[in-house]
Amino acid sequence: MASASLSAIVHYCDQFLDTAEVQDYERAANGLQVENTGTVHRIAAAVDASLATVRLAAEAGADLLLVHHGLFWGPAHPWTGRRYELIRLLVHHNIAVYSSHLPLDAHPRLGNNAQLCAALGLKNLRPFFFDHGLYLGFQASARVPRARLAASLRRATQAAPKVIPAGPDICRRIGVVSGGAGGDLQKAADEGVDTFVTGEGPHWTYALAEELGINVLYGGHYATETFGVKALAARLAARFKVPWTFLDHPTGL
């Protein structure tokens, strides 16, 4: 059975994603969150680290779980009840956990936003949506009917997007930021886009989009963030000669 060193994979990910250099949310903990005994035979990729995905990783025989949303977002104790069950499964099945949040969003080739833009057929990308000291997303100049862009987003994510049709019928400046960037709709508009593609946003963004005169396409927080972990897991599998699998556990949100 093929195997690779956990420390070698972690070092590669830290360097490739510039993990130490990216300023994430204060509570985010990027990098290796849980160790195993030091060897990786199979990688599992998932959007979220949760009891459900840890169970799926154990069923898949994985010993490294690569996620976008990690286990730790601030104090997480005591480890009792279902939290205990989660850590018990990780230790019992020798599963390490590596998490990459904003570093994976922003990566210029394998990140959620780069991969989502590619899936939408957007080209000639420029940096977009400056936040936490770096550009998280991309902006493209195009001439795409809004309905066609929505159809492309649906094909890319396998989920029907929620569309706020408050901008032009023909989208010419399209900004893309995966996840929950809808609350920063004003920031997107200030950077000059007429159409904003993201995962989710609050109720009040409908009225704000109408005031700003821009289209908003909400593709789903989960659905827009499956791309990065898949791309990174595939790259690691090719480099370290171990198999990988994607654990699909959609939230519908």
Side-chain angles (χ1 to χ4, degrees):
M1 179 184 297
S3 65
S5 162
L6 175 65
S7 62
I9 292 176
V10 169
H11 178 75
Y12 179 81
C13 287
D14 287 345
Q15 296 298 310
F16 184 73
L17 297 168
D18 288 330
T19 299
E21 304 302 320
V22 174
Q23 301 174 31
D24 209 316
Y25 293 91
E26 183 179 355
R27 295 175 297 170
N30 291 308
L32 185 65
Q33 294 192 334
V34 179
E35 285 186 300
N36 67 7
T37 54
T39 303
V40 174
H41 299 282
R42 177 180 291 273
I43 298 170
V47 175
D48 305 297
S50 66
L51 179 56
T53 56
V54 169
R55 284 173 173 162
L56 291 173
E59 291 171 6
D63 36 28
L64 172 59
L65 178 58
L66 180 70
V67 298
H68 182 52
H69 300 135
L71 292 167
F72 307 114
W73 298 89
H77 53 74
W79 286 86
T80 58
R82 290 187 176 272
R83 295 293 290 180
Y84 166 74
E85 177 64 12
L86 190 156
I87 197 68
R88 187 193 69 79
L89 284 171
L90 288 173
V91 174
H92 180 74
H93 293 279
N94 194 38
I95 301 172
V97 178
Y98 187 96
S99 176
S100 186
H101 187 232
L102 293 189
L104 190 55
D105 280 327
H107 195 272
R109 296 188 300 282
L110 302 188
N112 284 315
N113 296 309
Q115 293 286 313
L116 180 54
C117 285
L120 294 175
L122 301 177
K123 301 178 180 178
N124 301 316
L125 305 179
R126 303 191 304 278
F128 170 68
F129 205 83
F130 191 79
D131 192 53
H132 284 80
L134 77 166
Y135 287 99
L136 297 179
F138 294 96
Q139 180 183 154
S141 296
R143 186 178 174 83
V144 184
R146 181 177 59 224
R148 193 170 83 195
L149 181 64
S152 296
L153 182 58
R154 180 171 189 158
R155 285 193 298 271
T157 62
Q158 298 297 301
K162 293 178 173 62
V163 179
I164 305 176
D169 292 337
I170 304 298
C171 308
R172 291 179 171 83
R173 297 187 65 182
I174 304 167
V176 176
V177 179
S178 67
D184 288 316
L185 185 54
Q186 183 70 58
K187 179 195 294 286
D190 288 345
E191 293 193 38
V193 299
D194 60 39
T195 302
F196 185 38
V197 179
T198 186
E200 63 171 333
H203 172 78
W204 52 262
T205 57
Y206 197 103
L208 181 57
E210 291 180 322
E211 293 174 11
L212 296 171
I214 68 173
N215 299 308
V216 180
L217 281 68
Y218 288 139
H221 195 135
Y222 176 91
T224 60
E225 296 196 325
T226 61
F227 298 91
V229 288
K230 290 179 180 178
L232 180 59
R235 185 181 184 95
L236 293 175
R239 183 178 181 88
F240 292 96
K241 311 302 181 188
V242 293
W244 75 281
T245 188
F246 177 63
L247 307 176
D248 195 17
H249 188 64
T251 63
L253 302 173

